[in-house]
Amino acid sequence: QKEVEQDPGPLSVPEGAIVSLNCTYSNSAFQYFMWYRQYSRKGPELLMYTYSSGNKEDGRFTAQVDKSSKYISLFIRDSQPSDSATYLCASGGGNNRLAFGKGNQVVVIP
Amino acid sequence: KAGVTQTPRYLIKTRGQQVTLSCSPISGHRSVSWYQQTPGQGLQFLFEYFSETQRNKGNFPGRFSGRQFSNSRSEMNVSTLELGDSALYLCASTSGGRNTEAFFGQGTRLTVV
């Protein structure tokens, strides 16, 4: 079992819709969580960093962590065509070694 | 503030050859981690260097090695290249503390033929 599971299925949404992405993790030692956005042929770009359970909001992006169920989510409000990318969740446990999900390819249709 | 710089961006090598990739972290950052990204396996941790010492290592064969210099720049070396080593190699920069944000470079795309 991978430490971080992310259903890699592609997701297509119309412009303006809410995008909802989810991951689960199995390692109880994981303490911090990140979401990255990766455009084709580019490196991952850090979107959100969270350390505790609860919600963290940054503009149109909201990251949600539930440590009791080992569940992490990313919501993108008012999605734009420029949000079309692959989104990766990552978890870490204090040794700077990140475990990543497989990524979700999101397409926002104008 | 400059970001993470990886060179070269693209490489084509032949099976059996060796390759060296370079990473310059964000100014002031002391930790550099390397990851391999493939379509089948996603992003996998190779190793982390902090203050010129390998601090953490993933589950890759000994053909994969690295080092870090006193200015925090890091190099990764892969010897005796195999076709399966074709991947995007990414370098991540952190301040060096625990549980801190990791910032990635654009990666080096290695193709082994």
Side-chain angles (χ1 to χ4, degrees), chain B residues 63-83:
Chain B
R63 299 185 297 107
F64 292 83
S65 63
R67 60 177 176 169
Q68 188 179 34
F69 302 95
S70 58
N71 62 357
S72 294
R73 189 178 71 86
S74 176
E75 287 183 348
M76 189 191 95
N77 185 76
V78 188
S79 62
T80 320
L81 284 165
E82 300 176 0
L83 296 178

mmCIF file of all heavy atoms in Angstrom, chain B residues 63-83:
data_model
loop_
_atom_site.group_PDB
_atom_site.id
_atom_site.type_symbol
_atom_site.label_atom_id
_atom_site.label_comp_id
_atom_site.label_asym_id
_atom_site.label_seq_id
_atom_site.Cartn_x
_atom_site.Cartn_y
_atom_site.Cartn_z
ATOM 1 N N ARG B 63 23.448 2.750 -7.651
ATOM 2 C CA ARG B 63 23.856 3.491 -8.861
ATOM 3 C C ARG B 63 23.477 4.978 -8.765
ATOM 4 O O ARG B 63 24.015 5.806 -9.479
ATOM 5 C CB ARG B 63 23.166 2.903 -10.104
ATOM 6 C CG ARG B 63 23.474 1.460 -10.398
ATOM 7 C CD ARG B 63 22.854 1.011 -11.701
ATOM 8 N NE ARG B 63 21.395 1.065 -11.709
ATOM 9 C CZ ARG B 63 20.683 1.962 -12.371
ATOM 10 N NH1 ARG B 63 21.292 2.906 -13.082
ATOM 11 N NH2 ARG B 63 19.359 1.931 -12.334
ATOM 12 N N PHE B 64 22.547 5.252 -7.889
ATOM 13 C CA PHE B 64 22.102 6.629 -7.677
ATOM 14 C C PHE B 64 22.864 7.188 -6.465
ATOM 15 O O PHE B 64 22.791 6.631 -5.370
ATOM 16 C CB PHE B 64 20.597 6.677 -7.405
ATOM 17 C CG PHE B 64 19.757 6.306 -8.587
ATOM 18 C CD1 PHE B 64 19.512 4.982 -8.895
ATOM 19 C CD2 PHE B 64 19.213 7.294 -9.401
ATOM 20 C CE1 PHE B 64 18.734 4.637 -9.994
ATOM 21 C CE2 PHE B 64 18.434 6.960 -10.497
ATOM 22 C CZ PHE B 64 18.199 5.627 -10.796
ATOM 23 N N SER B 65 23.568 8.261 -6.665
ATOM 24 C CA SER B 65 24.331 8.859 -5.576
ATOM 25 C C SER B 65 24.265 10.371 -5.701
ATOM 26 O O SER B 65 23.839 10.907 -6.726
ATOM 27 C CB SER B 65 25.782 8.382 -5.608
ATOM 28 O OG SER B 65 26.408 8.817 -6.805
ATOM 29 N N GLY B 66 24.687 11.035 -4.655
ATOM 30 C CA GLY B 66 24.660 12.486 -4.694
ATOM 31 C C GLY B 66 25.719 13.068 -3.798
ATOM 32 O O GLY B 66 26.445 12.351 -3.098
ATOM 33 N N ARG B 67 25.793 14.383 -3.832
ATOM 34 C CA ARG B 67 26.669 15.086 -2.912
ATOM 35 C C ARG B 67 26.203 16.533 -2.825
ATOM 36 O O ARG B 67 25.450 17.010 -3.683
ATOM 37 C CB ARG B 67 28.115 15.008 -3.347
ATOM 38 C CG ARG B 67 28.423 15.607 -4.724
ATOM 39 C CD ARG B 67 29.909 15.516 -5.001
ATOM 40 N NE ARG B 67 30.245 15.980 -6.350
ATOM 41 C CZ ARG B 67 31.495 16.199 -6.745
ATOM 42 N NH1 ARG B 67 32.507 16.003 -5.918
ATOM 43 N NH2 ARG B 67 31.749 16.624 -7.977
ATOM 44 N N GLN B 68 26.678 17.194 -1.790
ATOM 45 C CA GLN B 68 26.341 18.597 -1.611
ATOM 46 C C GLN B 68 27.612 19.360 -1.286
ATOM 47 O O GLN B 68 28.469 18.880 -0.533
ATOM 48 C CB GLN B 68 25.319 18.771 -0.483
ATOM 49 C CG GLN B 68 24.782 20.203 -0.365
ATOM 50 C CD GLN B 68 23.771 20.362 0.737
ATOM 51 O OE1 GLN B 68 23.862 19.707 1.777
ATOM 52 N NE2 GLN B 68 22.791 21.231 0.528
ATOM 53 N N PHE B 69 27.698 20.545 -1.832
ATOM 54 C CA PHE B 69 28.882 21.374 -1.634
ATOM 55 C C PHE B 69 28.636 22.395 -0.522
ATOM 56 O O PHE B 69 27.517 22.572 -0.054
ATOM 57 C CB PHE B 69 29.231 22.068 -2.961
ATOM 58 C CG PHE B 69 29.480 21.096 -4.083
ATOM 59 C CD1 PHE B 69 28.464 20.747 -4.970
ATOM 60 C CD2 PHE B 69 30.718 20.494 -4.244
ATOM 61 C CE1 PHE B 69 28.672 19.838 -5.990
ATOM 62 C CE2 PHE B 69 30.937 19.577 -5.269
ATOM 63 C CZ PHE B 69 29.915 19.253 -6.138
ATOM 64 N N SER B 70 29.692 23.074 -0.150
ATOM 65 C CA SER B 70 29.599 24.011 0.976
ATOM 66 C C SER B 70 28.661 25.182 0.682
ATOM 67 O O SER B 70 28.141 25.815 1.609
ATOM 68 C CB SER B 70 30.989 24.532 1.352
ATOM 69 O OG SER B 70 31.591 25.158 0.243
ATOM 70 N N ASN B 71 28.407 25.460 -0.589
ATOM 71 C CA ASN B 71 27.469 26.552 -0.919
ATOM 72 C C ASN B 71 26.038 26.024 -1.079
ATOM 73 O O ASN B 71 25.180 26.750 -1.581
ATOM 74 C CB ASN B 71 27.916 27.256 -2.205
ATOM 75 C CG ASN B 71 27.930 26.332 -3.409
ATOM 76 O OD1 ASN B 71 27.656 25.135 -3.275
ATOM 77 N ND2 ASN B 71 28.239 26.867 -4.575
ATOM 78 N N SER B 72 25.817 24.794 -0.642
ATOM 79 C CA SER B 72 24.509 24.100 -0.658
ATOM 80 C C SER B 72 24.105 23.578 -2.034
ATOM 81 O O SER B 72 23.119 22.846 -2.123
ATOM 82 C CB SER B 72 23.370 24.985 -0.108
ATOM 83 O OG SER B 72 23.575 25.242 1.256
ATOM 84 N N ARG B 73 24.834 23.899 -3.062
ATOM 85 C CA ARG B 73 24.537 23.296 -4.372
ATOM 86 C C ARG B 73 24.717 21.789 -4.281
ATOM 87 O O ARG B 73 25.573 21.287 -3.532
ATOM 88 C CB ARG B 73 25.446 23.876 -5.448
ATOM 89 C CG ARG B 73 25.080 23.466 -6.867
ATOM 90 C CD ARG B 73 26.005 24.125 -7.889
ATOM 91 N NE ARG B 73 27.347 23.592 -7.859
ATOM 92 C CZ ARG B 73 27.752 22.512 -8.526
ATOM 93 N NH1 ARG B 73 26.896 21.854 -9.302
ATOM 94 N NH2 ARG B 73 29.002 22.108 -8.451
ATOM 95 N N SER B 74 23.899 21.081 -5.042
ATOM 96 C CA SER B 74 23.955 19.619 -4.964
ATOM 97 C C SER B 74 24.061 19.030 -6.362
ATOM 98 O O SER B 74 23.587 19.624 -7.349
ATOM 99 C CB SER B 74 22.703 19.080 -4.259
ATOM 100 O OG SER B 74 22.678 17.668 -4.245
ATOM 101 N N GLU B 75 24.673 17.903 -6.439
ATOM 102 C CA GLU B 75 24.739 17.124 -7.675
ATOM 103 C C GLU B 75 24.216 15.725 -7.413
ATOM 104 O O GLU B 75 24.384 15.177 -6.323
ATOM 105 C CB GLU B 75 26.187 17.026 -8.186
ATOM 106 C CG GLU B 75 26.712 18.311 -8.779
ATOM 107 C CD GLU B 75 28.119 18.157 -9.326
ATOM 108 O OE1 GLU B 75 28.778 17.131 -9.041
ATOM 109 O OE2 GLU B 75 28.570 19.078 -10.024
ATOM 110 N N MET B 76 23.593 15.176 -8.435
ATOM 111 C CA MET B 76 23.137 13.795 -8.376
ATOM 112 C C MET B 76 23.783 13.043 -9.529
ATOM 113 O O MET B 76 23.843 13.566 -10.653
ATOM 114 C CB MET B 76 21.619 13.728 -8.516
ATOM 115 C CG MET B 76 21.048 12.362 -8.259
ATOM 116 S SD MET B 76 19.331 12.236 -8.739
ATOM 117 C CE MET B 76 19.508 11.569 -10.357
ATOM 118 N N ASN B 77 24.268 11.860 -9.259
ATOM 119 C CA ASN B 77 24.932 11.066 -10.271
ATOM 120 C C ASN B 77 24.212 9.727 -10.433
ATOM 121 O O ASN B 77 23.817 9.108 -9.437
ATOM 122 C CB ASN B 77 26.390 10.816 -9.878
ATOM 123 C CG ASN B 77 27.161 10.095 -10.957
ATOM 124 O OD1 ASN B 77 27.543 10.677 -11.954
ATOM 125 N ND2 ASN B 77 27.389 8.800 -10.774
ATOM 126 N N VAL B 78 24.042 9.314 -11.657
ATOM 127 C CA VAL B 78 23.503 7.984 -11.928
ATOM 128 C C VAL B 78 24.519 7.261 -12.809
ATOM 129 O O VAL B 78 24.879 7.764 -13.885
ATOM 130 C CB VAL B 78 22.137 8.015 -12.632
ATOM 131 C CG1 VAL B 78 21.546 6.606 -12.705
ATOM 132 C CG2 VAL B 78 21.178 8.959 -11.928
ATOM 133 N N SER B 79 24.997 6.132 -12.341
ATOM 134 C CA SER B 79 25.980 5.373 -13.116
ATOM 135 C C SER B 79 25.293 4.208 -13.816
ATOM 136 O O SER B 79 24.189 3.801 -13.448
ATOM 137 C CB SER B 79 27.089 4.863 -12.198
ATOM 138 O OG SER B 79 26.545 3.982 -11.234
ATOM 139 N N THR B 80 25.962 3.672 -14.819
ATOM 140 C CA THR B 80 25.471 2.510 -15.569
ATOM 141 C C THR B 80 23.978 2.653 -15.874
ATOM 142 O O THR B 80 23.124 1.890 -15.413
ATOM 143 C CB THR B 80 25.720 1.208 -14.779
ATOM 144 O OG1 THR B 80 26.993 1.242 -14.153
ATOM 145 C CG2 THR B 80 25.674 0.008 -15.725
ATOM 146 N N LEU B 81 23.657 3.646 -16.642
ATOM 147 C CA LEU B 81 22.260 3.979 -16.926
ATOM 148 C C LEU B 81 21.494 2.821 -17.555
ATOM 149 O O LEU B 81 22.024 2.076 -18.391
ATOM 150 C CB LEU B 81 22.194 5.192 -17.857
ATOM 151 C CG LEU B 81 22.476 6.548 -17.201
ATOM 152 C CD1 LEU B 81 22.739 7.600 -18.256
ATOM 153 C CD2 LEU B 81 21.316 6.950 -16.302
ATOM 154 N N GLU B 82 20.244 2.697 -17.127
ATOM 155 C CA GLU B 82 19.326 1.705 -17.679
ATOM 156 C C GLU B 82 18.151 2.450 -18.325
ATOM 157 O O GLU B 82 17.878 3.606 -17.985
ATOM 158 C CB GLU B 82 18.814 0.792 -16.566
ATOM 159 C CG GLU B 82 19.911 0.041 -15.851
ATOM 160 C CD GLU B 82 19.396 -0.797 -14.691
ATOM 161 O OE1 GLU B 82 18.164 -0.781 -14.440
ATOM 162 O OE2 GLU B 82 20.218 -1.467 -14.031
ATOM 163 N N LEU B 83 17.452 1.758 -19.226
ATOM 164 C CA LEU B 83 16.319 2.379 -19.899
ATOM 165 C C LEU B 83 15.284 2.880 -18.885
ATOM 166 O O LEU B 83 14.680 3.936 -19.070
ATOM 167 C CB LEU B 83 15.653 1.400 -20.872
ATOM 168 C CG LEU B 83 16.493 0.938 -22.055
ATOM 169 C CD1 LEU B 83 15.716 -0.063 -22.909
ATOM 170 C CD2 LEU B 83 16.946 2.121 -22.917
#
